C-alpha cells in the first residue's frame, strides 16, 4: 500500500508541474501579454511600459521567468494582483470559503440523491422509475448548467419568491439562516448535473455487484434481501464511486464557475472571470494552480480511501 500511495503522490507532483508549465506559457503568450491592461491607460507612455516591463521581469526569456515564478510560489509568494497590489493568496483567500461552501453542499446533495437513484434504478431495473431516472439523467446532462440557473431564478425567485435570486447573503443580515437561504438554489442547480452522472455510475456499479457469485451465494443461504443489499451490494458498489468523486472535482469546479456567475456568488469562479476581464495574470495563475492542487488532492484522498478499504490494493 505504501508503494501504491507513493506512486500516486509522485504522479500528482509531475502532473502539477506540467499544469504549471502549460498554464504559465499560455498566459504569457496571449496577444498583449501581462501588460495589456496597462497599455489601455491613456496616461501610460512607452517609457512607462518599458519601465514596468523591466520591473516585472518581462524582459527576461520565458523559461527564466517561469523558474523565477515557480520558485517564488514554492516559497509562498504567489505574486500580487495587478488591480490593487494585494497578495494573490490574500485575494483568493477572500473568495475560497464561498466556493468551498457551494461545492461542498452541492457535492453532498449529488452524492446522496444520486446514490439513492442509482441503487433503486438497479434493484428495480426496467421499471417506470428506472426509465424515468434514465430520461431525467439524459435531459440534465444535455442542458447547460446556466440554463437551469436562469430557469430556477425565474421560477423560484421572480415568480414564486421562495429563494433569493443571487448573492451569498442579504446586506445587513449575515445570519446562518440567511446564508442557507441564499445557498439553496445555486447548490441545487450545481448538483443537478452531478446527480445525473452519479446515479448512472451507481446504477452500473450496483448491477455489476448484484450479478457477482458471492451475492448469489448469500441469497442461496437465506440472507434477507435488505441485508444483502445494504451489507454486500452497496458496500462493494461504493468503492468505484469513491474514485469517481475525486475525478468529478474538476467538473464541479467548472460548474461552480458558471453557477457563481449566474447567481453572482462571490467565489473563485466570479474572481476568475473578473481577473480575465482585467488581465490580472497573477490571480489567474494562482486560481489555476489552486484548482489543480485541489483536483489532485481530491484524487489522492480518494485513492487513499480506496486503498484503505480495499484489501486487493492494501495487500498488493
Amino acid at each position: 500500500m505504501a508503494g501504491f500511495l507513493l506512486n500516486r503522490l509522485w504522479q500528482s507532483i509531475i502532473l502539477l508541474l506540467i499544469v504549471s508549465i502549460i498554464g504559465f506559457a499560455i498566459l504569457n503568450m496571449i496577444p498583449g501579454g501581462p501588460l495589456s491592461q496597462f497599455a489601455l491607460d491613456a496616461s501610460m507612455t512607452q517609457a512607462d511600459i518599458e519601465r514596468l516591463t523591466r520591473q516585472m521581469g518581462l524582459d527576461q526569456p520565458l523559461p527564466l521567468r517561469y523558474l523565477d515564478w515557480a520558485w517564488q510560489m514554492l516559497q509562498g509568494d504567489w505574486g500580487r494582483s495587478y488591480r490593487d497590489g494585494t497578495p494573490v493568496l490574500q485575494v483568493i483567500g477572500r473568495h475560497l470559503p464561498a466556493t468551498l461552501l457551494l461545492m461542498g453542499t452541492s457535492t453532498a446533495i449529488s452524492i446522496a440523491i444520486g446514490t439513492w437513484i442509482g441503487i433503486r434504478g438497479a434493484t428495480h431495473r426496467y421499471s417506470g422509475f428506472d426509465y424515468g431516472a434514465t430520461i431525467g439523467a439524459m435531459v440534465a446532462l444535455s442542458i447547460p448548467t446556466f440554463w437551469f440557473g436562469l430557469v430556477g431564478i425565474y421560477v423560484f425567485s421572480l415568480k414564486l419568491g421562495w429563494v433569493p435570486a443571487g448573492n451569498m447573503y442579504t446586506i445587513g443580515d449575515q445570519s446562518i439562516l440567511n446564508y442557507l437561504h441564499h445557498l439553496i438554489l445555486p447548490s441545487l442547480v450545481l448538483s443537478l448535473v452531478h446527480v445525473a452522472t452519479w446515479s448512472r455510475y451507481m446504477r452500473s456499479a450496483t448491477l455489476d455487484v448484484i450479478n457477482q457469485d458471492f451475492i448469489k451465494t448469500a441469497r442461496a443461504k437465506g440472507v434477507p434481501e435488505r441485508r444483502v443489499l445494504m451489507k454486500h451490494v452497496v458496500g462493494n458498489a461504493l468503492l468505484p464511486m469513491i474514485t469517481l468523486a475525486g475525478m468529478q472535482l474538476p467538473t464541479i469546479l467548472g460548474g461552480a464557475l458558471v453557477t457563481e456567475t449566474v447567481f453572482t456568488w462571490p467565489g473563485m469562479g466570479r474572481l476568475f472571470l473578473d481577473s480575465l476581464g482585467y488581465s490580472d495574470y497573477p490571480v489567474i495563475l494562482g486560481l489555476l494552480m489552486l484548482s489543480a492542487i485541489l483536483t489532485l488532492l481530491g484524487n489522492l484522498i480518494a485513492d487513499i480511501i480506496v486503498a484503505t478499504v480495499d484489501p486487493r490494493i492494501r495487500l498488493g
Side-chain angles (χ1 to χ4, degrees):
M1 178 177 174
F4 169 79
L5 295 178
L6 287 175
N7 184 46
R8 283 288 188 268
L9 180 60
W10 176 243
Q11 291 176 1
S12 299
I13 293 174
I14 293 176
L15 284 173
L16 189 61
L17 177 63
I18 294 173
V19 168
S20 68
I21 293 174
I22 294 176
F24 186 88
I26 290 176
L27 282 178
N28 280 272
M29 289 189 295
I30 292 177
L35 294 178
S36 57
Q37 190 66 30
F38 296 101
L40 297 176
D41 189 347
S43 63
M44 296 289 291
T45 65
Q46 184 61 33
D48 293 330
I49 296 294
E50 293 175 356
R51 176 175 53 81
L52 285 173
T53 301
R54 290 191 299 270
Q55 288 179 351
M56 300 168 63
L58 299 177
D59 56 339
Q60 300 294 322
L62 187 61
L64 291 180
R65 284 156 53 192
Y66 168 78
L67 291 175
D68 180 66
W69 169 78
W71 176 246
Q72 294 296 329
M73 177 168 283
L74 288 174
Q75 293 180 313
D77 182 6
W78 289 31
R80 291 181 174 272
S81 170
Y82 289 167
R83 203 175 310 189
D84 53 12
T86 305
V88 170
L89 284 177
Q90 185 175 332
V91 174
I92 296 177
R94 291 199 297 258
H95 295 79
L96 181 60
T99 295
L100 293 180
L101 176 63
L102 179 60
M103 287 177 51
T105 305
S106 64
T107 301
I109 293 173
S110 61
I111 290 177
I113 299 178
T115 299
W116 178 78
I117 293 176
I119 294 174
R120 183 170 178 81
T123 55
H124 297 75
R125 188 167 37 165
Y126 306 133
S127 64
F129 178 88
D130 189 28
Y131 284 121
T134 301
I135 294 173
M138 294 303 102
V139 171
L141 291 171
S142 302
I143 299 178
T145 304
F146 74 85
W147 188 86
F148 286 119
L150 294 176
V151 170
I153 291 174
Y154 178 76
V155 174
F156 298 106
S157 298
L158 299 182
K159 290 297 183 180
L160 299 177
W162 291 354
V163 290
N167 294 319
M168 190 174 178
Y169 58 88
T170 302
I171 297 177
D173 183 5
Q174 298 187 24
S175 62
I176 295 178
L177 289 178
N178 189 257
Y179 275 103
L180 293 177
H181 195 205
H182 284 76
L183 181 62
I184 293 173
L185 190 55
S187 62
L188 288 176
V189 169
L190 181 57
S191 65
L192 189 59
V193 174
H194 304 293
V195 166
T197 303
W198 190 273
S199 64
R200 293 297 86 197
Y201 276 100
M202 191 64 195
R203 180 183 184 275
S204 299
T206 303
L207 286 174
D208 183 62
V209 175
I210 286 177
N211 294 322
Q212 297 295 322
D213 291 337
F214 70 92
I215 298 297
K216 297 177 182 178
T217 301
R219 287 171 172 166
K221 289 181 178 181
V223 178
E225 186 64 24
R226 182 177 179 83
R227 185 178 179 187
V228 171
L229 178 64
M230 299 304 298
K231 183 176 180 180
H232 300 288
V233 175
V234 175
N236 285 278
L238 282 175
L239 280 177
M241 297 299 100
I242 296 174
T243 303
L244 175 65
M247 293 175 60
Q248 276 196 310
L249 189 55
T251 309
I252 297 174
L253 282 169
L257 188 152
V258 177
T259 306
E260 289 177 3
T261 302
V262 172
F263 291 96
T264 59
W265 189 266
M268 294 197 303
R270 282 288 308 280
L271 176 63
F272 182 79
L273 290 179
D274 291 344
S275 300
L276 278 177
Y278 197 83
S279 298
D280 198 346
Y281 287 13
V283 175
I284 296 173
L285 276 172
L287 289 171
L288 173 65
M289 294 305 300
L290 181 61
S291 300
I293 291 171
L294 289 176
T295 301
L296 294 174
L297 185 61
N299 281 277
L300 185 61
I301 292 175
D303 289 337
I304 292 174
I305 295 175
V306 172
T308 301
V309 301
D310 192 340
R312 293 170 298 180
I313 297 176
R314 186 173 66 248
L315 301 177

